């Protein structure tokens, strides 16, 4: 009996690891192509930095791939065993479905613990470092974003065109300042320019020399009668780093970037702040922040615990499907995971609404899948 349990445990474990690896590869490839391959192609990243960024994406990808990969492993192994009548033989030997499921649940529990550790420690740390590296690329060398004879749109509110680049000096530089509708309200052409990083404001300063251009009306940029010529012997343009990279790169205290101990510490400080604040508006703001923080903590554990409900659902479905085809089982797993993540997205819509108790609502998809899985398990055990 122990030999059979070990066989089932290691079969599901190896298949789950293969499933996790598959989806880590898919997710990692998608993120690499989206975020950093373009930077590498444009020469904004060195190969060493590129490798660091890819490695830092791994924990984030694993945290999402673990539930799906484990579910795939369960469906593949139990589907093949059922198709080969091995499940029937085990039941004929006196094993109940619950006894058969024991090694499978053990694999799911192992995945749950691993996922909880990654979600609360490794993934936030990797995310902090990943975003810090990308942010420092701009702080240390803003010229990485400048490609000669190419229109550069990386700086929100501005379009830059550089004719040539000689070391740190930009030659034949054109700059357009845009309004909210992306219409040009100012244009400057300078013979040369250069970038500096200003630590006090966390900004990139673009200095233009020997420039001239024109101002247009903010109310009607298309009205050529309002165009006013300007001469800018020297002009300085401040490009805030938060505007360039977004808050996700410049705000290290963002909740998603904090590890579990940091979240608990911040929760304690928010609770103390809530008690010492008398202003109703300030109390509401702190209360909402605290609710969001508690929700995020619960969400991390709920995502880790999701492996158990998905396993409970995958066991009877794998046995009932009785299929040895890997692609069919992968399709079933993807459909179930899609449904689960869709429900989590619905919950996310209410995460900032304290009246909905999002910290409780986030556990509803797990409860739904666990209830359905236990019901199907009970029915399958009677047959």
């Amino acid at each position: 009996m122990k030999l059979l349990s070990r066989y089932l445990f290691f079969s599901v474990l190896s298949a789950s690891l293969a499933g996790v690896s598959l989806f880590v590869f898919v997710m990692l490839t998608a993120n690499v192509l989206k975020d950093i391959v373009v930077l590498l192609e444009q020469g904004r990243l060195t190969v060493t930095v590129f490798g660091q960024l890819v490695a830092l994406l791994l924990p984030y990808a694993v945290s999402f791939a673990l539930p799906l990969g484990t579910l795939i492993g369960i469906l593949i192994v139990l589907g093949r065993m059922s198709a080969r009548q091995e499940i029937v033989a085990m039941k004929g030997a006196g094993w109940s479905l619950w006894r058969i499921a024991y090694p499978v649940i053990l694999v799911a529990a192992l995945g749950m613990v691993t996922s909880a550790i990654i979600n609360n420690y490794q993934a936030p740390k990797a995310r902090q470092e990943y975003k810090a590296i990308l942010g420092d690329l701009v702080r240390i060398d803003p010229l990485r974003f400048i490609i000669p004879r190419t229109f550069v749109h990386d700086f929100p509110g501005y379009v830059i065109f550089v004719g040539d680049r000689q070391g740190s000096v930009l030659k034949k530089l054109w700059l357009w300042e845009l309004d909210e509708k992306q219409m040009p309200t100012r244009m400057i052409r300078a013979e040369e320019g250069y970038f500096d990083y200003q630590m006090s404001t966390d900004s990139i300063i673009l200095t233009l020399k020997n420039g001239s251009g024109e101002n247009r009306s903010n109310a009607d940029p298309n009205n050529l009668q309002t165009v006013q010529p300007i001469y800018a012997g020297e002009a300085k343009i401040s490009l805030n780093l938060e505007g360039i990279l977004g808050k996700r790169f410049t705000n290290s205290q963002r909740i998603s970037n904090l590890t579990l101990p940091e979240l608990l510490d911040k929760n304690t400080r928010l609770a103390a702040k809530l008690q010492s604040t008398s202003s109703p508006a300030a109390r509401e703001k702190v209360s909402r922040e605290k609710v969001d923080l508690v929700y995020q903590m619960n969400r991390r554990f709920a995502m880790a615990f999701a492996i158990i409900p998905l396993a409970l659902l995958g066991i009877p479905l794998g046995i009932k499907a009785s299929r040895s085809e890997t692609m069919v089982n992968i399709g079933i797993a993807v459909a179930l995971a899609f449904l689960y993540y869709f429900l989590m997205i619905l919950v996310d819509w209410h995460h900032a609404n304290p009246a909905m108790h999002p910290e409780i609502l986030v556990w509803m998809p797990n409860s739904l899948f666990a209830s359905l899985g236990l019901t199907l398990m009970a029915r399958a055990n009677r047959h």
Side-chain angles (χ1 to χ4, degrees), residues 214-276:
E214 62 183 37
N215 281 329
R216 296 192 177 192
S217 169
N218 290 328
D220 187 9
N222 289 322
N223 187 352
L224 298 181
Q225 295 181 350
T226 63
V227 173
Q228 297 180 349
I230 58 173
Y231 172 75
E234 180 175 296
K236 292 183 180 293
I237 309 295
S238 178
L239 305 169
N240 186 267
L241 194 59
E242 185 176 291
I244 299 170
L245 295 171
K247 290 184 178 180
R248 65 186 187 278
F249 291 108
T250 57
N251 185 3
S252 61
Q253 292 301 307
R254 194 165 181 258
I255 290 177
S256 61
N257 295 341
L258 301 179
T259 61
L260 180 60
E262 291 170 335
L263 287 173
L264 293 173
D265 179 64
K266 186 171 184 177
N267 185 51
T268 301
R269 286 187 279 111
L270 286 176
K273 187 176 181 180
L274 191 61
Q275 291 181 350
S276 62

Side-chain angles (χ1 to χ4, degrees), residues 304-324:
F305 184 76
I307 298 176
I308 299 295
L310 288 171
L312 290 173
L313 194 56
I315 292 169
L317 287 179
I319 293 174
K320 183 143 182 95
S322 299
R323 289 183 176 273
S324 59

Side-chain angles (χ1 to χ4, degrees), residues 4-6 8-10 12-13 70 74 77-78 81 87 90-91 94-110 307-308 310-317 319 373-374 376-378 380-381:
L4 194 54
S5 294
R6 284 199 298 270
L8 189 54
F9 174 84
F10 285 108
V12 174
L13 180 62
T70 305
I74 292 170
V77 171
L78 293 184
M81 292 180 68
I87 298 295
M90 293 169 72
K91 287 184 176 181
W95 283 38
S96 67
L97 183 59
W98 303 104
R99 179 66 182 84
I100 297 171
Y102 170 74
V104 180
I105 298 299
L106 196 58
V107 172
L110 185 63
I307 298 176
I308 299 295
L310 288 171
L312 290 173
L313 194 56
I315 292 169
L317 287 179
I319 293 174
L374 289 171
L376 293 178
M377 286 271 291
N381 189 52

Side-chain angles (χ1 to χ4, degrees), residues 41-146:
E41 290 177 347
Q42 294 174 346
R44 300 179 184 180
L45 295 178
T46 64
V47 176
T48 301
V49 173
F50 176 80
Q52 286 180 316
L53 293 176
V54 171
L56 289 171
L57 285 171
L58 274 173
Y60 182 76
V62 170
S63 67
F64 279 92
L66 263 172
L68 183 55
T70 305
L71 178 59
I72 285 176
I74 292 170
L75 287 169
I76 288 176
V77 171
L78 293 184
R80 286 177 178 175
M81 292 180 68
S82 181
R84 297 169 183 171
Q85 303 299 313
E86 293 178 12
I87 298 295
V88 174
M90 293 169 72
K91 287 184 176 181
W95 283 38
S96 67
L97 183 59
W98 303 104
R99 179 66 182 84
I100 297 171
Y102 170 74
V104 180
I105 298 299
L106 196 58
V107 172
L110 185 63
M112 178 190 68
V113 173
T114 303
S115 181
I117 293 173
I118 292 175
N119 290 352
N120 288 291
Y121 296 95
Q122 274 71 36
K125 286 182 179 179
R127 192 180 293 116
Q128 288 180 27
E129 191 173 347
Y130 176 85
K131 294 173 180 178
I133 290 175
L134 286 180
D136 286 342
L137 287 176
V138 184
R139 292 183 178 95
I140 296 171
D141 186 8
L143 291 178
R144 289 179 182 271
F145 282 73
I146 301 299

